[in-house]
Amino acid sequence: MAELSAESGIPVATIKYYLREGLLPAGERTSPNQARYGEEHVRRLKLIRALVEVGGLSVATVREVVAAVDSDRAAYSVLGVMQRALTGSAVEVSDEDREWAMELLSSLARKHGWKFGPDNPVADLLVGTVCTIRALGHQPLLDQIGRYAEIADRIAEADLDTLEAGVSMDRMVEAAVVGTVLGDRLFEGFRRLAQAAETGRRYSEG
């Protein structure tokens, strides 16, 4: 385990914690107090660290995500589990508001060829978000929702372009997890930079 710590850059105490929490698979036992760890353990530790420290996910969420990565389900099913784990809690809305939001979002989804319905992993998140925007009186943001959808399509294309052809299914799913979690953080940072630049172009004096 000391060698695993040195290779991964993660303290032994943290590795033991990840083992107890079921985030990291156990090593091959070679004696009562020693186990052999391989490159897959190093890669998993780096994934966990990225999800927790950079992605900001809770240990419970990471446990659910890595369990999905390790499962033998189809990639589409695994990504559905991942999306549910990453979505967070939903905002309570009235039946009337939910009906309005679902109509708006379903129309947008049809236009872009997205599969969307009440059981979709992100349905509650999107419904709560658009209802909150409307409740706050920010109609101009809702008026631009189509532009946000177009940007999402371009981002999805970039996401899928990063997946390596010919790699194992677990590596492909792992790459999708990393791309989703860290890609969100990357886009968040770029968006802040772009907002600052656009604000300067539009509103700076002189």
Side-chain angles (χ1 to χ4, degrees):
M1 186 171 290
E3 294 175 0
L4 178 61
S5 174
E7 180 69 22
S8 64
I10 297 176
V12 170
T14 303
I15 294 175
K16 290 181 177 179
Y17 173 65
Y18 290 161
L19 284 166
R20 288 196 304 272
E21 292 296 317
L23 275 63
L24 183 70
E28 179 186 352
R29 185 64 61 182
T30 57
S31 71
N33 61 352
Q34 282 195 326
R36 180 180 292 111
Y37 298 94
E39 181 59 34
E40 68 276 9
H41 291 91
V42 175
R43 191 173 70 241
R44 174 55 57 84
L45 281 171
K46 291 179 178 179
L47 172 63
I48 294 169
R49 183 177 224 175
L51 296 178
V52 172
E53 296 183 6
V54 182
L57 304 185
S58 68
V59 169
T61 299
V62 174
R63 184 189 302 111
E64 190 172 354
V65 170
V66 296
V69 171
D70 290 337
S71 73
D72 58 0
R73 282 175 285 185
Y76 188 84
S77 174
V78 173
L79 293 178
V81 172
M82 182 195 72
Q83 287 184 339
R84 286 184 173 88
L86 302 179
T87 296
S89 57
V91 176
E92 291 292 330
V93 299
S94 68
D95 291 342
E96 181 180 352
D97 285 344
R98 175 172 291 277
E99 183 178 354
W100 165 81
M102 286 300 297
E103 183 176 345
L104 171 68
L105 295 166
S106 296
S107 175
L108 192 66
R110 286 193 297 272
K111 179 179 178 180
H112 289 266
W114 302 339
K115 293 183 178 180
F116 180 76
D119 296 330
N120 190 281
V122 298
D124 287 342
L125 170 69
L126 289 172
V127 166
T129 300
V130 297
C131 286
T132 301
I133 292 171
R134 186 170 74 158
L136 291 172
H138 286 273
Q139 184 60 39
L141 180 54
L142 291 177
D143 291 341
Q144 297 295 329
I145 196 171
R147 294 178 67 184
Y148 283 99
E150 291 170 2
I151 293 169
D153 274 339
R154 303 291 80 75
I155 292 175
E157 290 174 4
D159 287 341
L160 271 294
D161 285 345
T162 67
L163 300 184
E164 303 171 71
V167 299
S168 63
M169 182 61 69
D170 65 324
R171 282 291 288 166
M172 183 176 292
V173 174
E174 179 184 306
V177 171
V178 171
T180 299
V181 178
L182 301 189
D184 282 352
R185 296 302 301 273
L186 183 67
F187 182 72
E188 180 183 2
F190 285 162
R191 186 182 190 187
R192 299 293 180 271
L193 292 174
Q195 285 174 337
E198 185 63 20
T199 300
R201 284 191 290 268
R202 294 191 185 200
Y203 304 113
S204 63
E205 296 183 6

